[in-house]
């Protein structure tokens, strides 16, 4: 059974940091592209960052470049999203997602992914 489980969300003050984890089971992470998406109330789900677990290629949304870092540990079948310098506008439910079709323009859209986690809430507020 394919499963993605996010963890690490919470409440943090502006300027703070969090590390999200996405633990995969039921499939081998290195054969998949993993994406982190987020969705704020009243807004569409948007891509935050993606990683090709096979070769480590990465992509970041302009809004998080220089503040967020995506990484993977294939031995642990886990992908991480390290978030620094958090802003109130980063507040959202964060989801990880996976698909096996390689690196291409589809990685930036939610409907390009086959499997999704349940999400973890990140709230940036003083």
């Amino acid at each position: 059974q394919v499963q993605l489980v996010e963890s690490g969300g919470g409440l943090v003050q502006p300027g703070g940091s969090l590390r999200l984890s996405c633990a995969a089971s039921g499939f081998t992470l290195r054969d998949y592209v993993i994406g982190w998406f987020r969705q704020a109330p009243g807004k569409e789900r948007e891509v935050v960052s993606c990683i090709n677990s096979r070769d480590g290629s990465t992509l970041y949304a302009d809004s998080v470049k220089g503040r967020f870092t995506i990484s993977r540990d294939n031995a642990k079948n886990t992908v991480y999203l390290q978030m620094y310098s958090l802003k109130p506008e980063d507040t959202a439910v964060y989801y990880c997602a996976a698909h096996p079709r390689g690196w291409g323009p589809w990685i930036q859209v939610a409907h390009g992914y086959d499997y999704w986690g349940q999400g973890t809430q990140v709230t940036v507020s003083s």
Side-chain angles (χ1 to χ4, degrees):
Q1 180 181 0
V2 172
Q3 193 171 18
L4 295 170
V5 179
E6 303 97 334
S7 61
L11 173 64
V12 63
Q13 291 186 343
S17 302
L18 282 175
R19 188 178 80 157
L20 305 184
S21 299
C22 172
S25 60
F27 66 99
T28 302
L29 192 68
R30 65 176 178 270
D31 295 330
Y32 284 71
V33 170
I34 304 298
W36 281 100
F37 289 76
R38 66 186 181 187
Q39 189 165 19
K43 294 189 176 181
E44 292 187 357
R45 193 167 296 190
E46 63 176 2
V47 67
V48 175
S49 184
C50 307
I51 188 165
N52 186 336
S53 299
R54 184 174 296 275
D55 65 10
S57 299
T58 58
L59 173 147
Y60 295 94
D62 288 343
S63 59
V64 306
K65 280 181 181 176
R67 300 189 298 121
F68 290 11
T69 301
I70 192 170
S71 62
R72 91 283 196 203
D73 185 333
N74 287 345
K76 295 183 177 180
N77 236 30
T78 300
V79 171
Y80 303 97
L81 185 68
Q82 179 67 57
M83 306 185 293
Y84 296 103
S85 302
L86 283 161
K87 305 175 181 180
E89 52 263 44
D90 294 318
T91 296
V93 178
Y94 284 69
Y95 300 89
C96 65
H99 78 78
R101 286 174 293 281
W103 203 249
W106 51 86
I107 67 173
Q108 299 189 56
V109 293
H111 65 254
Y113 288 77
D114 298 339
Y115 308 112
W116 289 85
Q118 82 288 350
T120 186
Q121 177 70 47
V122 172
T123 302
V124 185
S125 175
S126 55

